[in-house]
Amino acid sequence: MKKNDIVEIVITGMTTEGNGVGRFNDFAVFVPLAAVGDTVRVKITKLQKTFAYAIIEEILIPSSDRIENDCEVFNKCGGCAFRHISYKSELGIKSNFVKDSFKRIGKLDVEFESILGCEEIDFYRNKAQYPVAEIDSKVVCGFYSKRSHRVVPFTACKLQPQIFSKIVDFIIKYANDNNISAYNEEYHKGLLRHIYIRKAHHTNEIMVCFVVTKWCEADFITLSKMLIEKFPEIKSVIMNKNEQMTNVIMGSKCMVIAGSDIITDIMCGNKITLSPLSFYQVNTVQAERLYSIAKEYAELSGNETVVELYCGAGTIGLSFSGVAKEIIGVEIVPQAIENAKGNAKANNIQNIRFFCADAGEFAQKLATNNTAPDLIVVDPPRKGCDSNTLEAILKMSPSKIVMISCNPATAARDCAF
């Protein structure tokens, strides 16, 4: 097999990135935009020793999982992987990802429950971060193309609340009319890097955050007033400075341009305040289901001490507060801890304490002090728990651990540990 060869394969699996997998002469062939069950003629674009990448030249026999794609930039944008297959098929694929991770990576014999799909599969995200660029001498925003930082200009994404596209369209028009420059990654020049919008699902309050390369509030004061006047849901307009040559979106410093420094939502019956840097699950309705299941698994009687590591704004701990004796929450992001403390106070929850610290270091400290929680809850980032955290959890020897994870592979690894 050589580059540019045309071969016929049957798609029998799917990778976590959304590429179909077929085989040709013992080579695994990875094919974007394919569906399990497709028979396709593909063109080889890249060849390695044991596998190849290819693109579809022709769909000979379409999979029964295929549906009509409903997004005009799906083939260009890197945001969605499964928009060409049914949601039922997508759930089956994701369920298999989890099962495969725990069996193959964790080598664990696990009882798997059924996957719980989302009732609303469009317009559900409560947050969007739009990269800004200049194309043909015009400021645009949209989403990155797959495996690149090339911006695909598009704002009417079906995953985001519809008001988001109206807000960013308004901002981009203002930027073009008032010579606000877009950031250029290659040359590290320009002002506006990202437009970041967050919406509280239950209260409809909106925060708009401009990620810029330098403090320049004078350039955005008029725009901020116009935004609040046109979109009364906007309660907070923030400027975030990121002057680093990095692909990290947010800097560490924020400034209020108009309105409040926070917005407020309701999560599991508790009032939650959110700042720009607070972690908050992007699908509010599913997060509430997730936390209720975590509480169900915890089987608390009201007499237990709970330690929550990677607690963010404290949403999980707050939802457990009515069924535990004491809760200790730990998070390394200072703004998130401030939000967590404010959330506890706003909801008059007095049996919860929050500490700003590295989860692993704090867990080691608790273990050294012979703190013995009955339950440990962990909700780590995609990279999972570090070894310090895992060692400390073992030393504390809780009766039960409840893990919430956004990455089946690291979850399986940590559970095996």
Side-chain angles (χ1 to χ4, degrees):
M1 192 158 61
K2 305 182 300 296
K3 185 178 178 181
N4 296 325
D5 276 358
I6 306 295
V7 300
E8 183 178 317
I9 59 173
V10 177
I11 303 300
T12 56
M14 193 75 74
T15 71
T16 54
E17 293 180 330
N19 291 327
V21 185
R23 300 196 75 83
F24 185 82
N25 291 346
D26 293 327
F27 269 72
V29 182
F30 300 104
V31 187
L33 306 178
V36 174
D38 279 344
T39 300
V40 287
R41 187 176 286 119
V42 300
K43 180 179 181 180
I44 303 300
T45 58
K46 187 176 181 180
L47 200 61
Q48 303 289 353
K49 285 187 177 181
T50 58
F51 63 91
Y53 289 98
I55 56 174
I56 294 175
E57 290 282 296
E58 183 182 1
I59 300 173
L60 301 173
I61 304 174
S63 165
S64 59
D65 293 345
R66 279 192 172 272
I67 60 171
E68 195 67 35
N69 160 44
D70 61 353
C71 175
E72 63 186 80
V73 297
F74 172 58
N75 293 349
K76 303 172 186 175
C77 172
C80 292
F82 301 114
R83 220 159 180 93
H84 61 303
I85 63 174
S86 70
Y87 187 52
K88 179 181 178 181
S89 303
E90 180 180 340
L91 291 177
I93 288 167
K94 290 180 175 178
S95 181
N96 287 335
F97 290 161
V98 177
K99 293 176 182 178
D100 180 66
S101 293
F102 276 80
K103 290 176 180 177
R104 181 175 53 84
I105 298 171
K107 295 181 170 51
L108 297 167
D109 183 17
V110 178
E111 179 184 340
F112 297 100
E113 297 199 20
S114 299
I115 191 168
L116 294 178
C118 188
E119 293 179 5
E120 298 294 333
I121 61 173
D122 290 326
F123 312 121
Y124 64 85
R125 287 179 65 94
N126 58 39
K127 181 179 80 169
Q129 293 165 314
Y130 301 86
V132 179
E134 183 180 302
I135 298 178
D136 297 329
S137 302
K138 288 285 187 182
V139 176
V140 300
C141 77
F143 303 95
Y144 289 131
S145 178
K146 194 171 186 178
R147 297 180 181 274
S148 82
H149 271 208
R150 181 175 59 82
V151 173
V152 177
F154 190 67
T155 59
C157 176
K158 293 194 74 171
L159 301 188
Q160 326 293 351
Q162 290 169 295
I163 193 172
F164 282 17
S165 64
K166 296 176 183 177
I167 292 171
V168 292
D169 287 344
F170 188 90
I171 293 169
I172 292 300
K173 183 180 186 307
Y174 182 92
N176 281 303
D177 291 346
N178 292 273
N179 298 315
I180 293 176
S181 61
Y183 178 64
N184 183 300
E185 270 191 10
E186 183 180 357
Y187 299 105
H188 194 50
K189 290 183 178 180
L191 180 61
L192 185 58
R193 299 176 72 130
H194 279 80
I195 300 167
Y196 165 25
I197 306 178
R198 171 169 259 174
K199 179 175 182 285
H201 177 84
H202 291 295
T203 66
N204 293 319
E205 293 184 3
I206 291 175
M207 171 183 287
V208 176
C209 182
F210 301 111
V211 183
V212 295
T213 53
K214 63 181 180 180
W215 295 127
C216 51
E217 57 270 30
D219 292 314
F220 290 91
I221 287 175
T222 301
L223 171 59
S224 300
K225 290 178 180 177
M226 292 169 68
L227 280 170
I228 289 174
E229 185 176 328
K230 185 170 180 62
F231 304 100
E233 301 94 333
I234 297 176
K235 304 300 180 185
S236 170
V237 182
I238 304 285
M239 181 172 290
N240 173 272
K241 186 173 77 167
N242 183 354
E243 57 190 345
Q244 304 299 314
M245 293 184 68
T246 175
N247 58 9
V248 175
I249 294 174
M250 303 286 286
S252 60
K253 296 178 180 178
C254 295
M255 173 191 297
V256 178
I257 302 297
S260 173
D261 61 340
I262 54 96
I263 56 173
T264 303
D265 199 10
I266 306 296
M267 172 68 76
C268 298
N270 292 311
K271 185 178 177 182
I272 303 295
T273 58
L274 300 167
S275 66
L277 300 177
S278 299
F279 172 77
Y280 196 56
Q281 296 280 0
V282 296
N283 187 334
T284 306
V285 173
Q286 285 292 79
E288 289 181 308
R289 294 177 76 188
L290 178 67
Y291 295 165
S292 68
I293 291 168
K295 185 163 66 173
E296 176 187 320
Y297 283 178
E299 297 181 305
L300 297 172
S301 65
N303 298 315
E304 295 87 357
T305 296
V306 178
V307 170
E308 182 193 355
L309 304 175
Y310 312 98
C311 72
T315 48
I316 301 174
L318 293 170
S319 72
F320 281 28
S321 61
V323 290
K325 182 178 73 175
E326 179 188 22
I327 299 169
I328 299 169
V330 185
E331 169 63 52
I332 198 169
V333 179
Q335 293 91 338
I337 284 295
E338 288 305 309
N339 287 156
K341 290 178 178 178
N343 292 334
K345 186 175 181 181
N347 292 284
N348 196 29
I349 294 173
Q350 298 177 2
N351 63 337
I352 191 165
R353 293 179 291 152
F354 293 104
F355 296 91
C356 185
D358 173 78
E361 291 176 4
F362 194 87
Q364 288 284 0
K365 184 178 177 181
L366 289 175
T368 303
N369 293 338
N370 293 319
T371 299
D374 303 286
L375 170 72
I376 291 179
V377 180
V378 288
D379 184 10
R382 290 192 63 79
K383 64 182 180 181
C385 301
D386 60 34
S387 57
N388 282 344
T389 305
L390 295 171
E391 292 281 5
I393 289 172
L394 293 185
K395 286 181 183 176
M396 287 185 278
S397 190
S399 301
K400 183 174 286 190
I401 301 164
V402 174
M403 176 185 286
I404 290 175
S405 171
C406 55
N407 185 342
T410 56
R413 179 202 68 198
D414 292 348
C415 287
F417 181 99

